[in-house]
Amino acid sequence: MSTADAETSTRRPDTGPPARIRTFVLLWCSQWLVVFAAALTVLVFRLDIFAEFDSLAALIFAFLILFAPFAFLSPLAGALVDRYGHRRVLLASSIGYLINLGALVVVLLLDVPLLWPLIAVLAIDAILKAPQLAALESAVPLLVPRQHLIRANAPRMLLTVTGVVLGPLVVALALTVVAPVGVILLECAAVVVAILVVLTLDIPVVPKDADAAARRSIGAEVLSTWSHLRSRPGLLPVLGFLAGVSCVIAILEGAGPENVFSFAGEGGTVIVFASGWVGMLITSIIMIVTGRPRRLARGLLSAGLVFAVALLVAAARPNVAVMAVAAFIALGSTAVFIACVQTVLHSKVASQHLGRAMGFKNLMVAGPHMIGSTIVVTVGAGLVTVVGRDEVRSPGVSALVGDAPGRSWALVMMGGAVFVAVVVALVSRSVHLRRVDDLPDVTPGAQLDPASAGPSASVDLPAAAGPPASVDLPAAAPTPARR
C-alpha cells in the first residue's frame, strides 16, 4: 500500500467542509461561554468604579487597569496566535480564566475586603481576553468557506452584548438560589466545559511566514503585519472607519442610559435597550440566513450612515417609543457594520497575519472605546450644569433636543451622530475603501499546511482563492453609567 493510500485509509469520514463548520459552531459556542462567564463576574458584585472611588486619580487608575490591557495588548496577543496556533492560545487563555476565577473563590471564602481583589481579577480577565478574541476571530476563515464568512460573522456583536443584556437576569435568578461564591463556581464550570470542547476540536494550523525563522521578537512580527495591512489598499481606511464608530458606540453606551433614565426612569431604559438588543439579534439572524450584504464596502458605508441617522433621531426628542425604534435600527446596523469589517479582514488578509490583524482590529475597537467613555464622563457630566438638569435653559437647545430632564446627554448623543456622519462622508471618498471588494481574496483555508493540521484538517481543502499568502501582493468592538 502506498503512503498516499495509507493516509487516505486513516481519514475520518467527516473531514470535509461540513465538519469544519461544525467545528466553528462548537468553537464559537464554547468561547461564548467563557465571555459570558467573565461578563457575569462584575454583575454578581455590582462593581461601579464611579461610585467606589471619590478620588479622580484612583478612578483613572481603576479605569485604566480594567479597560486598557485589552486594548494595548491585543496586537501582541495576535502575534502569539500566529506564532503558537489558535488551539494552544485558546486553551491557555481559558485555563487562565479558570485560575483567575478560582482565585476569586478563595478570596470570597477567606472573607477579605473585595474591592481591589475584584479589580485585579477583572484586569486579568481583560488581559486574557486579548489572546482569546484574537484566536477565536482569526480561526473563523480557517473553518468557514469564503462564501459563508458573512454568515459566520453575523453574530459577532452578540458575543459580548448578550452578556450585558442577559447577564443581569441570569445573575438575579442565580442569586435567588446560591450565594455569590456559588455563581462564581458556576462560571468555573462553564469555563471547564469550554476547555473540554476546545480539547476535542481540530483547528487547522497555518504555516509560518517564510522569514519567520529570521524574526526573534514579537514586536518585529507586529510591525510586519502593519506593513502587510498597508500593502493591501483599503484595509487601513476600514480600520479607521471602525475606530470612529467604536468611539461613538462608547458614547452611546454611556449617554444613552442617562438620557432615557432621566425622563423615563428604569422602565423606559429597559424598553429602549431591550429593543436595541432585539434589533441586533434579528439583524444577525437575517444575515445568517441570507448571507448579505454581498458588497462589503457598500454594507459598511450604509450601516454607518443608518447608525448615524438613527442616533440623531433618538437624541432629537424625549420619547420612549421613538427611542426604542431608533435603538432597534441603530444597534441592528452595528451588527451589519461589524460583520462587514470582520469579513473584509478574513478574506483580504493573508493567513499568516490573521491573528495580528485581528489584534489590530481589537485595538481599533477598544482604544477609541476608552476615548468615547472619557468623553461621556467629562463632556456629558459637564454639560449637565450648562444645559440644565431638570429643564433646558436655552430655547435653542430646547428646539434641538426637546425640553425634559437629561437633555444634556441627548446633546452628547447628537454630537456622536454628527461625528459618525462626517466619518462616513470622509471614508466614502476613499477609492480604495469603495473598491475593497475588488481586492483579491487571500482565503486562509486555501493556505493551510496539511502536514501540520492533523488528520481532520489535512484533507479536502478548498482551492486557493488568490495568490499564495506568503507572497506580498502589489499595491492594487459597557462603560458603567453614572446614576
Side-chain angles (χ1 to χ4, degrees):
M1 181 182 294
S2 67
T3 303
D5 291 337
E7 290 179 355
T8 303
S9 66
T10 60
R11 291 173 180 173
R12 301 177 187 177
D14 62 344
T15 55
R20 293 198 298 275
I21 292 177
R22 284 195 296 272
T23 299
F24 161 73
V25 173
L26 289 171
L27 179 64
W28 195 96
C29 292
S30 69
Q31 296 310 300
W32 177 85
L33 276 177
V34 177
V35 172
F36 191 70
L40 295 186
T41 304
V42 67
L43 298 171
V44 170
F45 302 101
R46 299 179 181 179
L47 175 65
D48 186 344
I49 61 175
F50 297 99
E52 296 289 350
F53 297 107
D54 295 327
S55 165
L56 179 61
L59 176 62
I60 293 173
F61 176 72
F63 186 82
L64 286 176
I65 66 173
L66 286 175
F67 301 109
F70 172 72
F72 298 113
L73 293 178
S74 284
L76 298 177
L80 294 178
V81 173
D82 289 334
R83 177 179 288 192
Y84 297 111
H86 304 79
R87 192 166 177 269
R88 288 180 180 177
V89 172
L90 286 171
L91 285 173
S93 62
S94 296
I95 292 171
Y97 276 118
L98 185 60
I99 294 173
N100 201 33
L101 288 172
L104 182 57
V105 170
V106 173
V107 169
L108 291 171
L109 293 177
L110 293 177
D111 198 26
V112 301
L114 186 62
L115 178 60
W116 283 107
L118 179 58
I119 288 179
V121 166
L122 294 175
I124 294 171
D125 276 355
I127 294 172
L128 295 171
K129 186 179 179 181
Q132 180 205 15
L133 286 187
L136 174 62
E137 293 176 334
S138 60
V140 173
L142 303 178
L143 302 169
V144 178
R146 169 65 180 88
Q147 67 270 25
H148 297 311
L149 282 178
I150 196 74
R151 290 184 167 96
N153 288 316
R156 174 59 186 87
M157 284 289 285
L158 296 176
L159 184 70
T160 49
V161 173
T162 301
V164 177
V165 176
L166 298 184
L169 176 61
V170 173
V171 167
L173 293 175
L175 289 177
T176 62
V177 180
V178 296
V181 67
V183 180
I184 303 302
L185 288 173
L186 290 175
E187 294 176 24
C188 291
V191 176
V192 169
V193 171
I195 292 172
L196 294 175
V197 170
V198 174
L199 283 171
T200 65
L201 298 180
D202 287 312
I203 302 175
V205 176
V206 177
K208 300 295 185 292
D209 283 331
D211 60 342
R215 285 203 296 269
R216 291 290 181 260
S217 71
I218 294 290
E221 295 181 14
V222 171
L223 291 177
S224 73
T225 294
W226 180 254
S227 299
H228 179 74
L229 292 173
R230 291 181 60 189
S231 72
R232 304 284 281 164
L235 296 188
L236 292 185
V238 166
L239 291 177
F241 192 9
L242 173 65
V245 173
S246 297
C247 179
V248 176
I249 288 176
I251 292 174
L252 176 61
E253 288 176 355
E258 296 289 356
N259 181 10
V260 184
F261 187 83
S262 296
F263 72 86
E266 186 173 353
T269 306
V270 171
I271 290 173
V272 169
F273 283 88
S275 175
W277 182 81
V278 171
M280 187 181 297
L281 176 64
I282 291 177
T283 304
S284 299
I285 292 173
I286 291 173
M287 285 191 289
I288 291 172
V289 172
T290 64
R292 294 179 182 275
R294 303 279 170 78
R295 299 294 295 177
L296 300 176
R298 186 180 301 169
L300 279 170
L301 295 171
S302 300
L305 185 59
V306 169
F307 175 72
V309 172
L311 194 56
L312 193 67
V313 171
R317 287 295 179 270
N319 184 292
V320 172
V322 171
M323 294 193 72
V325 173
F328 182 95
I329 296 172
L331 294 186
S333 66
T334 62
V336 176
F337 181 83
I338 295 299
C340 289
V341 171
Q342 298 271 121
T343 304
V344 166
L345 295 176
H346 285 158
S347 57
K348 309 301 181 183
V349 175
S351 56
Q352 292 90 342
H353 295 274
L354 266 175
R356 285 160 285 176
M358 302 316 289
F360 277 118
K361 187 271 299 181
N362 290 333
L363 172 62
M364 291 298 101
V365 170
H369 196 279
M370 289 194 297
I371 295 173
S373 301
T374 304
I375 291 173
V376 169
V377 173
T378 55
V379 176
L383 280 177
V384 172
T385 58
V386 176
V387 175
R389 185 179 301 276
D390 298 321
E391 60 181 9
V392 178
R393 300 191 183 101
S394 168
V397 174
S398 178
L400 192 62
V401 295
D403 187 3
R407 302 321 289 162
S408 58
W409 300 104
L411 279 179
V412 176
M413 291 173 57
M414 189 168 286
V418 172
F419 177 76
V420 173
V422 170
V423 171
V424 171
L426 291 176
V427 299
S428 65
R429 297 173 62 86
S430 169
V431 175
H432 292 316
L433 187 145
R434 294 200 307 269
R435 297 178 180 174
V436 74
D437 294 277
D438 301 326
L439 193 66
D441 284 348
V442 191
T443 308
Q447 315 298 335
L448 302 181
D449 180 7
S452 61
S456 68
S458 61
V459 297
D460 297 332
L461 297 178
S470 60
V471 177
D472 287 332
L473 297 173
T479 303
R482 187 189 298 274
R483 288 283 180 264

